[in-house]
Amino acid sequence: LRYDFSGKLLSKIDHLNFQPPIFNHIAMRFGMGKIGDRYIFEEQDYRGLNPLDNDHYKDLYLLSWLGPETGEKEPFLQVPEESIFRNGKYFFGNSWKLIFTVSEDLIYVAFGIEPVIYAFKSVHPYSLVKTIPLDLEQYEYFKGGNDYASVANFMHLRNSTGRIESIKKINGYFVEAYFPGFNNVDIEQSLLYKSSEEAKVFRDRMQKKYPNRIGVLDSTGNRLKDSVPMGLVAE
């Protein structure tokens, strides 16, 4: 859908072979980027994904080109071998969900919980140009399990591990919104059996103890400033 700034609909093109997203409860967070006359969009068709295979990530395409005049979609960009998701361990579903930003001729990608930015060329074969480890404040994240059973508790891991929420590149700097993740003591506490009331009290306490943060980093990933924003939802 394309509108002018008064809200008038200018054009409407149907997606071809559209598949509804599996993770539709966060569908409105999907973003778009533009390079040339095409848009970049997060690929949402993961029907071939088998979480029992610890290396199923190697076959996933994570971004798609969208043709605004035709509605055609062209999947591209896969998880690089350098990523923790290619280390042979098991990860919970959605842990690799990428976020991205576009700057000049590069696509900057972060894969979910991994505190790294990967910079790819925006033209085929989408070569990996550089890997940028991120220096984030007390960042704790899940580094993979040795078997599928170790990652079956999706909500526990999803709520306790660090994750990258957003990246932007502005004047040579990276601005990152992220959840820092629980320390080991609080992870163990989160596993203890609690009544619904105790669980709510614990959850509220963790939300105050581990608020989302915003970090400003230089082009090599070194932290320049990091803070908890007041009055903002850091996503």
Side-chain angles (χ1 to χ4, degrees), residues 122-145:
S122 60
V123 295
H124 189 271
Y126 312 109
S127 303
L128 178 62
V129 175
K130 56 186 172 181
T131 301
I132 308 170
L134 301 177
D135 175 23
L136 301 176
E137 179 78 19
Q138 297 180 343
Y139 189 77
E140 303 286 347
Y141 67 103
F142 180 63
K143 298 175 179 63

Side-chain angles (χ1 to χ4, degrees), residues 46-218:
Y46 303 123
R47 286 172 293 174
L49 185 147
N50 179 9
L52 296 178
D53 176 4
N54 64 345
D55 200 22
H56 62 267
Y57 309 100
K58 72 181 190 307
D59 298 321
L60 289 177
Y61 286 92
L62 301 176
L63 289 174
S64 282
W65 291 108
L66 292 180
E69 304 298 329
T70 64
E72 291 180 331
K73 183 179 73 169
E74 178 190 337
F76 75 104
L77 200 68
Q78 295 178 283
V79 178
E81 292 185 2
E82 294 83 353
S83 171
I84 60 169
F85 297 107
R86 300 292 303 278
N87 67 7
K89 294 192 178 238
Y90 289 84
F91 292 87
F92 63 91
N94 209 26
S95 59
W96 43 265
K97 290 286 284 183
L98 66 77
I99 47 96
F100 71 94
T101 191
V102 174
S103 180
E104 299 175 345
D105 64 339
L106 295 179
I107 305 169
Y108 295 91
V109 175
F111 296 104
I113 65 176
E114 185 178 15
V116 177
I117 290 177
Y118 295 92
F120 297 91
K121 280 286 188 181
S122 60
V123 295
H124 189 271
Y126 312 109
S127 303
L128 178 62
V129 175
K130 56 186 172 181
T131 301
I132 308 170
L134 301 177
D135 175 23
L136 301 176
E137 179 78 19
Q138 297 180 343
Y139 189 77
E140 303 286 347
Y141 67 103
F142 180 63
K143 298 175 179 63
N146 293 323
D147 52 54
Y148 181 70
S150 64
V151 300
N153 191 342
F154 167 80
M155 288 309 298
H156 154 62
L157 290 170
R158 175 71 175 83
N159 292 334
S160 63
T161 184
R163 61 184 177 272
I164 309 301
E165 299 280 11
S166 176
I167 57 173
K168 298 295 178 187
K169 193 164 190 287
I170 305 172
N171 298 330
Y173 298 95
F174 290 107
V175 180
E176 301 262 346
Y178 67 96
F179 172 64
F182 292 5
N183 63 30
N184 289 333
V185 172
D186 287 329
I187 289 175
E188 291 178 5
Q189 285 291 313
S190 70
L191 295 173
L192 298 178
Y193 178 79
K194 303 178 183 68
S195 67
S196 58
E197 181 60 30
E198 289 173 330
K200 180 180 184 302
V201 171
F202 178 79
R203 185 171 60 251
D204 291 344
R205 183 160 62 87
M206 292 300 99
Q207 287 178 344
K208 293 178 181 177
K209 185 174 181 179
Y210 300 105
N212 281 19
R213 306 182 66 88
I214 290 180
V216 179
L217 302 99
D218 66 18

